[in-house]
Amino acid sequence: MVITVLFFASLADAVGTRELSLAHMPGDTVASVRDRLIAAHPQVSEFTETLLYAVDEEYADEDAPVPAGATLALIPPVSGG
Amino acid sequence: MVITVLFFASLADAVGTRELSLAHMPGDTVASVRDRLIAAHPQVSEFTETLLYAVDEEYADEDAPVPAGATLALIPPVSGG
Amino acid sequence: MLIRVTPERLNPEEAIEAVRRDEAGAVDVFLGIVRNTNKGRAVDHLVYDAYPSMAEKTMREVAEEALERFDLTDSAVLHRTGRLEIGETSLLVAVSAGHRAATFEAGHWLVNEVKRRVPVWKKEVWADGEEWIEGPESLGMERAPATMRGS
Amino acid sequence: MLIRVTPERLNPEEAIEAVRRDEAGAVDVFLGIVRNTNKGRAVDHLVYDAYPSMAEKTMREVAEEALERFDLTDSAVLHRTGRLEIGETSLLVAVSAGHRAATFEAGHWLVNEVKRRVPVWKKEVWADGEEWIEGPESLGMERAPATMRGS
């Protein structure tokens, strides 16, 4: 099973894509998935200070579980309106 | 010269007209014109407690002068909006 | 500055376009609408009376005062007169500003002042009668407390 | 409750009709509009990115919370995405209530919460460059003060 990771705005520009798939690992959390992402895409580390996360469209803490099949969105500070 | 007097809403219903003309008297004020009106139309006295007045479309006190040719409006408590 | 007292239907799009500016990031629009009840009683329709020339003059004064008090780019105030059915718009206030906080504050202030100052009167018509509603938000009510009212 | 994230033009009349009720005497509508300048710099146009499904979900949560916090009859929240020219409407918030005070308070609160919580991002494009504007009204900015920001 995989995890779908979504990127937006400046982070999508930096990573060069809006979506990618990662293999799911037992016990995955927001932080563990993010750290594997940073290993593959070091530029993500420049954003982590201000990123929020959403698991399946719900804001989630860094220690929230990320189940197999879930969608993890990396959310830069929003600026709608 | 005359003064034009305007009535609105409940007061227009009570007086039975929206407009009438009165002879102007030297030294006329809002109060003196109103008192002549009450002499001719006693039902106006039931309204005076809450009436405001406008001389030529400007809110005016009871002792404000009413010049010849002016329009005096008797303004019940407003309820627009 | 769009100011109008009219028996014609009020169009919010017209008020928005009147205040919209390239330098204004925020527009707030308020619609006063004829409700189907008041104080628990079913309303059939309303009739608005006005002193049109003075109402427009007063609306313009209030709108100009709002431009000074708040950081607005423009404002519009329109009031309808005559017979209005349930759901129709009696009052339309629109303001524009660089930022949103000013529009909400100014819009609320403007609606309050229009209801206090502008010579317009509302008659409620029910199935079995009718009554002119006068005050209690108007200037007159500040001078004469409810216990002193004539009728 | 009308909730929509869309690349199509936003129509204030549609939002007003969506919240209008016979028992609601007041409707407040807010339009967020693309300004021609920001921080003294001329803006050519904006591009809005969004996480559409989560944005609609979050907008619905905020709108439902507003119904509970304020005495509203209904609310509508619409956000546009894609390229927007100067003067176009990016955000449309409409609320209805029995009386006006609730509409102004709820409208202001709703716009603030949309800007804090909804996953939408704005890119400013100038004659000579462009930049994603991120924060400072968002939830993320409350966790990380400006001096701690990564970039």
Side-chain angles (χ1 to χ4, degrees):
Chain A
M1 286 294 282
V2 297
I3 299 160
T4 303
V5 184
L6 304 180
F7 307 94
F8 300 97
S10 59
L11 186 54
D13 288 352
V15 177
T17 185
R18 295 178 65 80
E19 179 172 340
L20 54 76
S21 291
L22 242 64
H24 180 257
M25 312 267 273
D28 256 342
T29 62
V30 168
S32 70
V33 176
R34 177 200 59 202
D35 292 346
R36 288 210 301 288
L37 267 173
I38 290 175
H41 304 275
Q43 65 273 41
V44 172
S45 68
E46 292 168 28
F47 292 82
T48 52
E49 197 69 63
T50 59
L51 277 186
L52 293 186
Y53 305 93
V55 176
D56 291 335
E57 304 180 359
E58 200 74 55
Y59 283 111
D61 289 334
E62 298 198 358
D63 53 1
V66 179
T71 296
L72 172 67
L74 275 58
I75 305 208
V78 305
S79 56
Chain B
M1 286 292 282
V2 297
I3 299 160
T4 303
V5 184
L6 304 180
F7 307 93
F8 300 97
S10 58
L11 186 54
D13 289 352
V15 177
T17 184
R18 297 177 65 79
E19 181 173 337
L20 54 78
S21 291
L22 242 65
H24 180 257
M25 313 266 273
D28 256 342
T29 62
V30 168
S32 71
V33 176
R34 178 201 58 203
D35 292 346
R36 289 210 300 288
L37 266 174
I38 290 174
H41 303 275
Q43 64 274 41
V44 172
S45 67
E46 292 167 30
F47 292 82
T48 52
E49 197 69 63
T50 59
L51 277 186
L52 294 186
Y53 305 94
V55 176
D56 291 334
E57 304 181 0
E58 201 75 54
Y59 284 111
D61 290 334
E62 298 198 358
D63 53 2
V66 179
T71 296
L72 171 67
L74 275 58
I75 305 206
V78 305
S79 55
Chain C
M1 186 175 294
L2 174 63
I3 303 292
R4 189 188 302 154
V5 172
T6 173
E8 305 293 322
R9 288 195 68 168
L10 303 183
N11 175 3
E13 195 78 43
E14 183 191 5
I16 292 166
E17 289 312 310
V19 302
R20 198 195 276 274
R21 295 289 182 287
D22 283 355
E23 68 271 25
V27 170
D28 186 69
V29 186
F30 176 84
L31 294 87
I33 291 177
V34 179
R35 298 173 71 196
N36 60 5
T37 59
N38 190 26
K39 296 175 185 158
R41 191 161 182 177
V43 174
D44 184 78
H45 65 273
L46 297 183
V47 176
Y48 280 92
D49 190 12
Y51 182 4
S53 57
M54 183 175 166
E56 289 193 350
K57 186 180 178 209
T58 313
M59 281 155 55
R60 185 172 299 278
E61 285 166 4
V62 172
E64 278 168 1
E65 204 175 318
L67 292 190
E68 281 170 32
R69 293 174 73 105
F70 304 93
D71 199 14
L72 300 183
T73 42
D74 203 358
S75 61
V77 181
L78 298 92
H79 206 302
R80 194 166 156 196
T81 56
R83 176 177 170 141
L84 274 77
E85 307 301 327
I86 305 300
E88 289 195 303
T89 303
S90 54
L91 172 65
L92 194 45
V93 169
V95 298
S96 59
H99 299 285
R100 68 187 179 281
T103 66
F104 286 108
E105 286 168 29
H108 198 170
W109 182 87
L110 253 171
V111 174
N112 289 349
E113 292 304 303
V114 165
K115 291 173 92 84
R116 259 166 42 87
R117 297 199 222 172
V118 175
V120 174
W121 301 267
K122 167 170 37 195
K123 183 166 70 175
E124 278 185 14
V125 182
W126 318 297
D128 58 349
E130 58 180 46
E131 184 180 19
W132 286 103
I133 309 300
E134 291 172 356
E137 301 192 64
S138 69
L139 285 169
M141 290 299 97
E142 291 173 5
R143 295 199 186 168
T147 51
M148 288 176 57
R149 277 184 228 166
S151 57
Chain D
M1 186 176 293
L2 174 62
I3 303 291
R4 189 188 302 153
V5 172
T6 173
E8 305 293 324
R9 289 195 67 169
L10 304 183
N11 176 3
E13 195 78 44
E14 183 191 5
I16 292 167
E17 289 312 310
V19 301
R20 197 195 277 273
R21 295 287 183 287
D22 283 356
E23 68 271 25
V27 169
D28 187 69
V29 186
F30 177 83
L31 294 87
I33 290 177
V34 179
R35 298 173 69 197
N36 59 5
T37 59
N38 189 28
K39 294 174 184 157
R41 193 163 182 176
V43 174
D44 184 77
H45 65 275
L46 297 183
V47 177
Y48 280 92
D49 190 12
Y51 181 4
S53 56
M54 182 173 164
E56 290 194 350
K57 187 181 176 205
T58 313
M59 282 154 55
R60 185 172 299 277
E61 285 166 5
V62 172
E64 279 168 358
E65 205 174 317
L67 292 191
E68 282 170 31
R69 292 174 75 107
F70 304 92
D71 199 14
L72 300 183
T73 42
D74 203 357
S75 61
V77 181
L78 297 92
H79 206 302
R80 194 166 157 200
T81 57
R83 176 177 170 141
L84 273 78
E85 307 302 328
I86 305 299
E88 290 195 301
T89 303
S90 54
L91 173 65
L92 194 46
V93 169
V95 298
S96 59
H99 298 284
R100 68 187 180 279
T103 67
F104 286 108
E105 286 169 28
H108 199 171
W109 182 87
L110 253 171
V111 174
N112 288 349
E113 292 303 303
V114 165
K115 291 173 92 81
R116 260 165 43 86
R117 298 198 220 171
V118 176
V120 174
W121 300 268
K122 166 170 37 195
K123 183 166 69 176
E124 278 185 15
V125 182
W126 318 297
D128 60 348
E130 57 180 48
E131 185 180 18
W132 286 103
I133 309 300
E134 291 171 355
E137 302 192 62
S138 68
L139 285 169
M141 290 299 96
E142 291 173 6
R143 295 197 184 170
T147 52
M148 288 174 59
R149 278 184 226 166
S151 58

